[in-house]
C-alpha cells in the first residue's frame, strides 16, 4: 500500500522502503517520558506523558529535535506494544502527548483499538497535515496542538523546504477547529485547540 498520510504524498511502499519522513511500517519511538515543560494546561499537575516519534514530515533548519527527526532512532513498536505504552502513561500522567506522530498515524489508530486512554490524548504537530488524516484521528484525539510556523510560502520553502506549508496547515487547523467545536468540558472529554505561533526573523 502506498503512503499518503501527510502532504508530502510520497506514495512509498513502506513494507519495502522508508518514506520522505523516514518512516517504514514499524512505529519508531525515539523517547518517551514525563514532560513537565509544555504549556501549563498541557503539563498539568503530574506532567504530560510525552511520546516522541522518529522522523518527521518536514525539514526545518531550526528543529530542536533534529537528532531524532533527521534519522531513524529509538525502538520499533507494534501497535499493540504502543497501546501498552499508552496504558502506562494513562496511569502516571495527566495526558498522552504524541509528538511529531503524523508519519505513524495509521499505526497509532490501530494502537487505540487495543487501548482507549481515560485521560486526554494530545496531537502535538507541526500543522503540516492532510485533512483526511486529521479526520481519521478525530475519534481518538482530545487536544489538537498545532505549531503554526509560517504564512509566507517563500519563508517556509527556505527554512523548511515546504512552499505549500501554509495551504495545508490552514486547512488542517480549520478542520481541527471544526471538529472540536467551542472549547468545552463534556462528561468525559476536554475539547480544545491550542495554537502556538512561532515567528522566525531572518
Amino acid at each position: 500500500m502506498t503512503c499518503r498520510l501527510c502532504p508530502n504524498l510520497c506514495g512509498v511502499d513502506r513494507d519495502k522502503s522508508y518514506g520522505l519522513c523516514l518512516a517504514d511500517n514499524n512505529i519508531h519511538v525515539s523517547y518517551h517520558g514525563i514532560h513537565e515543560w509544555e504549556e501549563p494546561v498541557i503539563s498539568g499537575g503530574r506532567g504530560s506523558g510525552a511520546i516522541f516519534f522518529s522522523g518527521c514530515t518536514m525539514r526545518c533548519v531550526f528543529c530542536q529535535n533534529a537528532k531524532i527527526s533527521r534519522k531513524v532512532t529509538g525502538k520499533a513498536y507494534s501497535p499493540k506494544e504502543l497501546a501498552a505504552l499508552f496504558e502506562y502513561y494513562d496511569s502516571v500522567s495527566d495526558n498522552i502527548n504524541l509528538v511529531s506522530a503524523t508519519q505513524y498515524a495509521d499505526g497509532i489508530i490501530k494502537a487505540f483499538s487495543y487501548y482507549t486512554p481515560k485521560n486526554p490524548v494530545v496531537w502535538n504537530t507541526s500543522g503540516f497535515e492532510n485533512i483526511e488524516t486529521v479526520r481519521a484521528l478525530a475519534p481518538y484525539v482530545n487536544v489538537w496542538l498545532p505549531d503554526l510556523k509560517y504564512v509566507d510560502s517563500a519563508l517556509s520553502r527556505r527554512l523548511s523546504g515546504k512552499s505549500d506549508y501554509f495551504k495545508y496547515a490552514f486547512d488542517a487547523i480549520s478542520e481541527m477547529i471544526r471538529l472540536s467545536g467551542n472549547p468545552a468540558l463534556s462528561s468525559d472529554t476536554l475539547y480544545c485547540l491550542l495554537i502556538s505561533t512561532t515567528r522566525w526573523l531572518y
Side-chain angles (χ1 to χ4, degrees):
M1 181 180 294
T2 59
C3 183
R4 298 188 177 275
L5 286 173
C6 81
N8 286 316
L9 301 175
C10 68
V12 70
D13 181 348
R14 283 168 47 170
D15 283 324
K16 300 177 180 178
S17 182
Y18 292 99
L20 291 175
C21 60
L22 302 180
D24 60 9
N25 268 348
N26 295 302
I27 303 168
H28 295 275
V29 174
S30 292
Y31 168 81
H32 58 85
I34 299 296
H35 190 26
E36 299 177 344
W37 306 280
E38 289 282 13
E39 291 82 355
V41 69
I42 299 295
S43 295
R46 296 191 297 169
S48 179
I51 302 174
F52 289 79
F53 294 87
S54 172
C56 187
T57 61
M58 297 183 68
R59 289 293 181 273
C60 303
V61 298
F62 48 79
C63 181
Q64 63 183 357
N65 294 325
K67 289 183 179 179
I68 66 176
S69 68
R70 302 294 171 82
K71 58 184 178 181
V72 181
T73 63
K75 178 183 174 182
Y77 284 72
S78 68
K80 193 169 185 178
E81 290 170 330
L82 184 62
L85 205 57
F86 292 168
E87 186 172 9
Y88 170 73
Y89 283 109
D90 208 21
S91 68
V92 299
S93 64
D94 285 339
N95 52 69
I96 295 169
N97 185 358
L98 307 178
V99 184
S100 297
T102 302
Q103 59 272 22
Y104 302 109
D106 51 351
I108 289 168
I109 289 170
K110 289 178 183 176
F112 285 125
S113 71
Y114 290 105
Y115 180 77
T116 302
K118 299 176 180 64
N119 288 323
V121 173
V122 180
W123 192 254
N124 195 335
T125 172
S126 68
F128 191 58
E129 303 276 4
N130 280 337
I131 285 181
E132 294 78 10
T133 300
V134 170
R135 289 173 179 166
L137 289 162
Y140 315 100
V141 171
N142 308 105
V143 179
W144 301 101
L145 187 59
D147 181 8
L148 181 61
K149 300 177 185 297
Y150 311 99
V151 172
D152 183 81
S153 61
L155 194 61
S156 64
R157 181 176 62 251
R158 175 184 169 192
L159 298 181
S160 294
K162 308 295 177 188
S163 60
D164 55 359
Y165 170 83
F166 182 69
K167 171 187 178 297
Y168 283 101
F170 179 85
D171 289 348
I173 292 171
S174 297
E175 184 66 7
M176 293 171 189
I177 294 171
R178 187 192 72 79
L179 288 166
S180 299
N182 292 325
L185 279 171
S186 67
S187 59
D188 60 354
T189 307
L190 173 64
Y191 290 98
C192 65
L193 175 73
L194 299 172
I195 303 175
S196 57
T197 303
T198 305
R199 293 183 181 179
W200 298 93
L201 302 178
Y202 285 79

